[in-house]
Amino acid sequence: MNSGVQNKMNTKTTIPFGPQHPVLPEPLNLKLVLEDEKIVEAIPAIGYVHRGLEKLAEVKDFHQNVFLVERICGICSAQHAMAYCQGIETLMNIEIPDRAKYLRVIFAELHRIHSHLLWLGLFADAFGFESLFMQCWRDREKVMDIMEATTGARVVISINAVGGVKRDVSSEHLAEIVTICDTVNEDMKKMEGAFLNDYTVRHRTEGVGYLTKDQAYSLGAVGPMARACGVAQDLRTKGYAAYGKLGFQPAVEQTGDCWGRTSVRIKEVYESCRLIKTAIATLPAGDIAVPVKGNPNGETIERVEQPRGEVLYYIKGNGTKNLDRLRVRTPTFANIPTLLVMLPGSQLADVPVLLLTIDPCISCTER
Amino acid sequence: MIANINEISIDRLLGETQKLAGQGYRFVTTSCTDLGDGKLDVLYHFDKDAELQNLRIKADRGDEVPSISKIYLCAVLIENEMSELFGLKVAGMAIDYGGHMLLAPEALKTPQAKITIEQRGAK
């Protein structure tokens, strides 16, 4: 081979992946440096949907901010509001009724199920398994239907308020939620085989996007990203809201690849169904909220486990109805740095599947 | 109301961060607040076994704060964000987005910083 041809073959190529790409529901850009089909360097770039919501929170009062934080991300809206309300309640020394704590858990876990089913569907679509995509989203519709029946909305359900929850759930609707959990549980058992055991699907997921346990931990990975690498961190083990009374155990895998992340999310769907059914079976009677008097003062940190992992709220009140500072660190913000390690060494054709396994939520990330 | 806050000077930041990394802490994020008198309050949050440890520094707006991204690479995003939104000078970031990680070139500079009406009028 002459030297000219040799030099051309060794040339590095830089290509942009995104911000608009069929696999991305939201805009994210990756600058990929390639040698042939192999990635040698990757730089993620965001900044397409920054809305300045943290600044807006300083001019809304602390009750209005519940509506604001729900709109940081639709898919995790219940958990955003839950984290914010828990933080304000800590600042104001408010103890909410037990029934409200259980209802918060029920809606948070319904959100986790619909988020994971959304992701599983998108993931199936990314590797071209469209019937599996439709099966996932068919079950997700059932979850969204019951959220609409109980709260009036399918995604941004606005159930949380400072001091408790806004609406109670009737016994008929609770029975319907149990039926839906049983259906989702049974359907997931059928779909699990396709996601985890199918020969062609395993070729797309096994060994792809590998991350060691130490890398995941030192890069600050959270949620299913960390748990798929054997890092058993899940804030629900801290027992906030009613989790301490429901016997929660985190789902963990050791493989550290795309297969492991899929497996963790499937296990979490089963666990969410179990948590909801246990919460409904032991749901205490009583009030769903307490009156809120005064304004928040002081600073606090609140953390909650969202479908994508840990969300952190830093809240600083000044004794007035407005906050001095509301800071939100979302799970995708924590998981993006893992791309700096996972992408180099991967094949270009694996990027869509690999990128999806961090379950990127860019509106969350940029706020 | 926040437990485990260690208030330190800027020159001790790298040493204390290195110490926490050696003890097996995971970097979570930072929370920056403009105190309104030309000072910025920065809390660095670290986690181990679901318990937080926090380092607090107070910086004047013109101060240069060292980047911890050589110890925790994942700090690079939040350091760029603090630099863009608050005008905090962070020296030695592993990846420097040049002030445009979140903000477009034509956007208002340091939008999260507190600014007086007089200062806004002068811009």
Side-chain angles (χ1 to χ4, degrees):
Chain A
M1 192 180 294
N2 69 43
S3 60
V5 173
Q6 185 80 45
N7 284 342
K8 272 189 179 174
M9 287 182 72
N10 289 338
T11 304
K12 288 180 181 172
T13 313
T14 304
I15 66 159
F17 184 96
Q20 304 301 329
H21 190 280
V23 84
L24 289 171
E26 296 176 86
L28 168 70
N29 173 249
L30 294 173
K31 194 177 89 176
L32 301 174
V33 182
L34 304 171
E35 274 177 4
D36 293 334
E37 292 285 308
K38 190 177 170 187
I39 298 160
V40 293
E41 191 185 1
I43 304 288
I46 53 176
Y48 300 95
V49 284
H50 175 59
R51 293 164 287 167
L53 293 182
E54 290 181 5
K55 188 69 180 170
L56 186 57
E58 293 171 16
V59 295
K60 300 287 181 190
D61 79 39
F62 72 93
H63 289 293
Q64 292 172 324
N65 279 338
V66 181
F67 298 99
L68 184 67
V69 299
E70 283 170 344
R71 281 149 185 83
I72 291 174
C73 171
I75 309 299
C76 318
S77 66
Q79 282 105 335
H80 270 296
M82 188 177 184
Y84 173 78
C85 290
Q86 286 182 177
I88 296 290
E89 287 153 7
T90 302
L91 286 179
M92 300 178 74
N93 292 317
I94 295 170
E95 180 64 28
I96 69 167
D98 280 347
R99 189 174 177 86
K101 291 178 183 173
Y102 276 69
L103 288 172
R104 280 183 178 179
V105 167
I106 291 168
F107 283 107
E109 292 308 314
L110 282 173
H111 255 64
R112 192 178 316 278
I113 293 172
H114 101 72
S115 174
H116 282 351
L117 287 171
L118 170 91
W119 179 83
L120 287 163
L122 290 173
F123 192 55
D125 191 47
F127 51 66
F129 205 148
E130 291 197 2
S131 58
L132 192 55
F133 154 75
M134 286 187 281
Q135 295 290 343
C136 291
W137 281 35
R138 188 178 63 175
D139 270 8
R140 179 173 178 256
E141 279 301 309
K142 295 179 182 127
V143 178
M144 294 172 79
D145 285 346
I146 191 63
M147 289 204 289
E148 185 175 20
T150 49
T151 69
R154 282 159 58 83
V155 180
V156 183
I157 57 173
S158 206
I159 191 74
N160 290 285
V162 178
V165 293
K166 289 179 193 161
R167 296 173 198 86
D168 209 341
V169 182
S170 66
S171 52
E172 293 78 19
H173 279 141
L174 289 172
E176 203 175 326
I177 292 172
V178 171
T179 307
I180 288 169
C181 285
D182 288 338
T183 308
V184 169
N185 209 65
E186 285 307 306
D187 289 350
M188 186 49 71
K189 283 179 189 165
K190 294 172 193 161
M191 292 188 284
E192 181 181 346
F195 277 110
L196 301 181
N197 301 325
D198 183 271
Y199 177 80
T200 50
V201 175
R202 286 180 76 147
H203 267 68
R204 298 300 308 274
T205 58
E206 274 186 334
V208 175
Y210 178 68
L211 209 56
T212 66
K213 185 177 181 179
D214 286 347
Q215 283 172 330
Y217 194 76
S218 64
L219 287 165
V222 294
M225 281 297 297
R227 292 194 283 278
C229 302
V231 183
Q233 63 183 28
D234 190 316
L235 290 167
R236 288 175 287 176
T237 55
K238 293 278 286 176
Y240 64 86
Y243 285 109
K245 295 168 184 165
L246 301 174
F248 169 73
Q249 286 295 322
V252 181
E253 282 287 352
Q254 306 294 333
T255 58
D257 56 5
C258 293
W259 184 92
R261 284 162 220 147
T262 312
S263 175
V264 164
R265 289 184 177 107
I266 289 172
K267 285 180 181 173
E268 288 189 357
V269 171
Y270 294 135
E271 181 65 3
S272 292
C273 291
R274 190 196 67 76
L275 284 170
I276 292 169
K277 287 169 67 178
T278 310
I280 289 174
T282 55
L283 184 64
D287 292 335
I288 57 165
V290 292
V292 177
K293 291 174 186 163
N295 294 312
N297 202 2
E299 59 180 357
T300 190
I301 297 168
E302 194 63 43
R303 293 189 294 165
V304 156
E305 192 72 23
Q306 289 187 336
R308 291 165 184 79
E310 163 202 82
V311 66
L312 178 144
Y313 272 71
Y314 168 74
I315 305 170
K316 187 177 182 188
N318 54 16
T320 72
K321 64 179 184 174
N322 298 114
L323 299 175
D324 264 355
R325 180 79 171 107
L326 177 67
R327 155 96 180 108
V328 187
R329 199 297 317 272
T330 62
T332 301
F333 197 95
N335 284 330
I336 283 178
T338 60
L339 294 173
L340 295 167
V341 172
M342 283 195 299
L343 284 169
S346 301
Q347 296 295 310
L348 178 62
D350 287 331
V351 174
V353 167
L354 192 163
L355 180 59
L356 259 190
T357 58
I358 77 165
D359 198 359
C361 184
I362 308 303
S363 297
C364 253
T365 303
E366 300 191 18
R367 294 147 280 134
Chain B
M1 284 197 190
I2 301 175
N4 304 328
I5 295 185
N6 183 10
E7 189 157 345
I8 56 170
S9 58
I10 293 173
D11 55 354
R12 284 178 57 207
L13 177 63
L14 286 181
E16 292 296 326
T17 304
Q18 190 71 62
K19 206 185 288 179
L20 290 173
Q23 291 168 8
Y25 277 87
R26 167 176 67 92
F27 175 73
V28 180
T29 193
T30 72
S31 299
C32 185
T33 307
D34 190 331
L35 299 177
D37 53 359
K39 282 200 179 295
L40 296 171
D41 173 73
V42 189
L43 268 172
Y44 291 75
H45 311 293
F46 302 87
D47 173 284
K48 189 177 174 187
D49 300 329
E51 295 296 332
L52 281 178
Q53 181 71 41
N54 307 283
L55 298 177
R56 166 166 268 154
I57 60 167
K58 293 239 168 39
D60 287 322
R61 198 175 296 284
D63 286 347
E64 198 167 77
V65 175
S67 166
I68 63 164
S69 60
K70 287 189 177 61
I71 304 167
Y72 290 103
L73 176 63
C74 52
V76 75
L77 291 183
I78 186 59
E79 287 180 340
N80 273 278
E81 182 178 309
M82 288 194 296
S83 168
E84 282 181 47
L85 301 186
F86 288 90
L88 182 70
K89 291 182 184 170
V90 185
M93 290 185 287
I95 303 171
D96 190 342
Y97 287 87
H100 300 298
M101 185 183 84
L102 290 176
L103 300 178
E106 66 276 11
L108 178 73
K109 303 279 183 246
T110 64
Q112 289 255 176
K114 287 196 170 126
I115 183 166
T116 62
I117 292 170
E118 291 79 14
Q119 286 169 323
R120 191 175 290 276
K123 277 197 168 184

